[in-house]
Amino acid sequence: MTGKEIRIREADKFPRILACGDSAISVELSDEIDESVSARVIALADDLAENPIDGIDELVPTYRSLMVMYDPEIVRGRMLSGALLQRLSSLIADARPSRQFEIPVVYGGTVGLDLEELAGMKGLSPDALIQMHSSAEYRVYMIGFAPGFAYLGGLPEALHTPRLATPRQRIEAGAVGIGGKQASVNSVAGPSGWRFIGRTPLKLFDPQRLQPFLLKAGDRVRFRPVSESEGADLDRAIAAGENIMGLQP
């Protein structure tokens, strides 16, 4: 991330605060992606949500930093930076229980258009690739790129695959993808260079819900293979407004 560094305790040490324009700062906790770093980012976000600092408008957890957006008419960036560093000094990243989600996936088909090719690249049968992909537990590291789009860590190393050299112009919402070391589920339709192996009927982004985003940083996800017919039943249930996940309307 670019920006003018406001404060750094020692060269190349963390935490450090970077200015991002005149109404946001980034609290960087590491230069590496690690579950313990993610836990501290989320703990800081939760602490600020539970014990707010006047002037903070929004908190956005990322892989290794927390973006803090604020109203400069209420609090100045330098004062807020000091308050955040002080908050971090006493922060305890306790092991809070994670929300657990099981996401049904119809593997292959017109949306999972890379399944066969990817299996061949890995020397696996499509069924073996599906079993490997669905046997892992994934962690939501951050939401970004598009509304509700979740970046998932925990992809088995054997499935790590570079993104396509030329992105496709449109991939449907619900497409389940692999990009580099990460997994994902498309929250909205749009262009993508990820490789897609299936789709879920679930909506990761629904502006009609009280909580529009299905997932948030720190959640745990498992994928459950379902048949085309079960996927179609879920499509109909969701289109009819049935709350199959028990979510708040």
Side-chain angles (χ1 to χ4, degrees), residues 25-249:
I25 55 180
S26 175
V27 185
E28 293 198 334
L29 301 185
S30 177
D31 57 1
E32 296 181 357
I33 296 172
D34 179 84
E35 188 165 330
S36 64
V37 174
S38 173
R40 289 193 71 213
V41 170
I42 293 167
L44 178 59
D46 288 345
D47 186 69
L48 289 168
E50 294 166 6
N51 304 286
I53 296 173
D54 288 345
I56 291 180
D57 291 330
E58 188 174 357
L59 302 166
V60 183
T62 72
Y63 277 108
R64 56 186 183 83
S65 64
L66 179 68
M67 176 75 78
V68 180
M69 286 171 268
Y70 64 93
D71 184 343
E73 294 188 357
I74 298 175
V75 62
R76 304 303 296 174
R78 190 173 296 276
M79 294 177 61
L80 181 57
S81 298
L84 290 170
L85 287 172
Q86 185 175 13
R87 188 71 66 94
L88 269 171
S89 68
S90 58
L91 181 69
I92 298 175
D94 54 355
R96 299 190 178 192
S98 300
R99 298 191 306 170
Q100 307 284 327
F101 287 87
E102 184 179 78
I103 295 181
V105 178
V106 179
Y107 285 93
T110 56
V111 177
L113 67 174
D114 294 310
L115 176 63
E116 298 278 348
E117 181 180 2
L118 189 58
M121 290 170 58
K122 302 299 183 181
L124 299 169
S125 68
D127 285 344
L129 190 150
I130 291 168
Q131 194 281 328
M132 185 180 296
H133 183 264
S134 60
S135 66
E137 181 180 73
Y138 299 84
R139 175 185 178 85
V140 180
Y141 273 91
M142 62 175 284
I143 303 295
F145 173 68
F149 185 97
Y151 288 89
L152 307 177
L155 182 71
E157 186 174 355
L159 298 183
H160 294 182
T161 310
R163 293 170 176 80
L164 297 170
T166 303
R168 298 183 177 101
Q169 291 304 301
R170 182 181 173 88
I171 298 294
E172 297 303 319
V176 176
I178 288 173
K181 300 179 180 180
Q182 303 168 105
S184 71
V185 182
N186 270 23
S187 56
V188 296
S192 178
W194 293 55
R195 299 172 191 265
F196 292 94
I197 59 175
R199 72 166 187 95
T200 180
L202 299 185
K203 293 183 178 181
L204 267 70
F205 173 62
D206 184 349
Q208 302 305 313
R209 288 195 300 249
L210 183 62
Q211 297 295 331
F213 296 173
L214 176 64
L215 302 175
K216 66 179 183 180
D219 288 344
R220 300 283 181 174
V221 169
R222 284 189 176 275
F223 295 110
R224 176 173 65 89
V226 298
S227 65
E228 286 278 3
S229 60
E230 185 175 350
D233 289 342
L234 290 170
D235 287 333
R236 286 189 287 269
I238 291 171
E242 294 183 26
N243 193 352
I244 64 172
M245 297 288 288
L247 302 171
Q248 293 178 303

